């Protein structure tokens, strides 16, 4: 029982923090204005790790390398802690931990995309004039716009969020299956 509780808490804390780090990199990539509530909250939550890394990893070509490296570091710590909670020596799995950490970052990014898309779809139906809509639209547009060009509109209903959700869920299944096969337990 203690192991289940510890895994749940580790998963929750690290998934939220990893998502914040990836959202920070994503905000830079889509050139979201820096002075909005979302950017400010994400920056305040992640500055303690990202700012020291900025001395080594600079932002180049719209990619916030410091945030991405921070997400990878957080994933490595997360995987090591999960392996330890499972009662396995992390040093014996050192090469596998790096691969699983990378898969964990991918999983966090896919989960972030799912939640942002769901939030955007719900707000578009419930309150399309919400101040959060332009931010959500800008964050999800790189993924939804290509699907919008392919999918026909049915009576003004945009089905691209549903298709994106299905695609991301399939990718999450693949990433999770690979990670489980490498570690013999889930991440």
């Amino acid at each position: 029982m203690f192991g289940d509780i510890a895994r749940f808490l580790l998963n929750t804390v690290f998934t939220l923090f990893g998502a914040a780090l990836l959202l920070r990199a994503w905000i830079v990539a889509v050139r979201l204005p820096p002075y909005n509530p979302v950017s400010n909250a994400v920056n305040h939550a992640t500055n303690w790790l990202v700012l020291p890394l900025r001395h080594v990893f600079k932002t180049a070509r719209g990619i916030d390398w410091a945030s991405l490296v921070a997400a990878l570091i957080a994933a490595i710590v997360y995987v090591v802690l999960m392996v330890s909670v499972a009662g396995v020596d992390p040093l014996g799995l050192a090469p596998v931990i790096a691969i699983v950490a990378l898969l964990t970052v991918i999983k966090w990014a896919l989960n972030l995309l799912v939640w942002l898309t769901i939030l955007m779809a719900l707000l578009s139906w419930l309150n399309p004039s919400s101040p959060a809509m332009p931010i959500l639209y800008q964050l999800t547009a790189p993924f939804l716009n290509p699907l919008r060009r392919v999918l026909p509109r049915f009576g003004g209903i945009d089905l691209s969020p549903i298709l994106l959700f299905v695609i991301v869920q399939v990718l999450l299944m693949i990433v999770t299956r690979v990670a489980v096969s490498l570690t013999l337990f889930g991440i």
Side-chain angles (χ1 to χ4, degrees), residues 33-112:
Y35 300 109
N36 64 63
V38 174
S39 297
N40 284 334
V42 168
N43 288 342
H44 285 292
T46 58
N47 275 344
W48 66 272
L49 182 57
V50 174
L51 292 182
L53 290 172
R54 282 252 160 83
H55 297 293
V56 179
F57 301 100
K58 306 291 183 196
T59 300
R61 295 183 184 177
I63 300 173
D64 183 2
W65 290 106
S67 295
L68 294 176
V69 169
L72 187 57
I73 291 169
I76 291 169
V77 170
Y78 167 70
V79 172
V80 166
L81 290 172
M82 290 293 278
V83 167
S84 299
V85 168
V88 179
D89 179 26
L91 293 176
L93 293 175
V96 173
I97 286 177
I99 296 168
V100 174
L102 184 60
L103 292 172
T104 301
V105 171
I106 293 169
K107 185 177 174 183
W108 290 342
L110 292 171
N111 279 321
L112 178 62

Side-chain angles (χ1 to χ4, degrees), residues 145-163:
N145 286 345
L147 297 176
R148 287 182 179 125
R149 287 191 287 271
V150 175
L151 283 176
R153 291 180 72 85
F154 295 101
I157 297 174
D158 183 11
L159 296 178
S160 61
I162 295 170
L163 180 59

Side-chain angles (χ1 to χ4, degrees), residues 107-138:
K107 185 177 174 183
W108 290 342
L110 292 171
N111 279 321
L112 178 62
L113 180 58
V114 164
W115 285 108
L116 289 175
T117 304
I118 289 171
L119 186 59
M120 190 203 66
L122 286 174
L123 274 179
S124 72
W125 296 330
L126 301 174
N127 188 6
S129 60
S130 168
M133 279 305 291
I135 294 169
L136 290 169
Y137 182 81
Q138 194 168 352

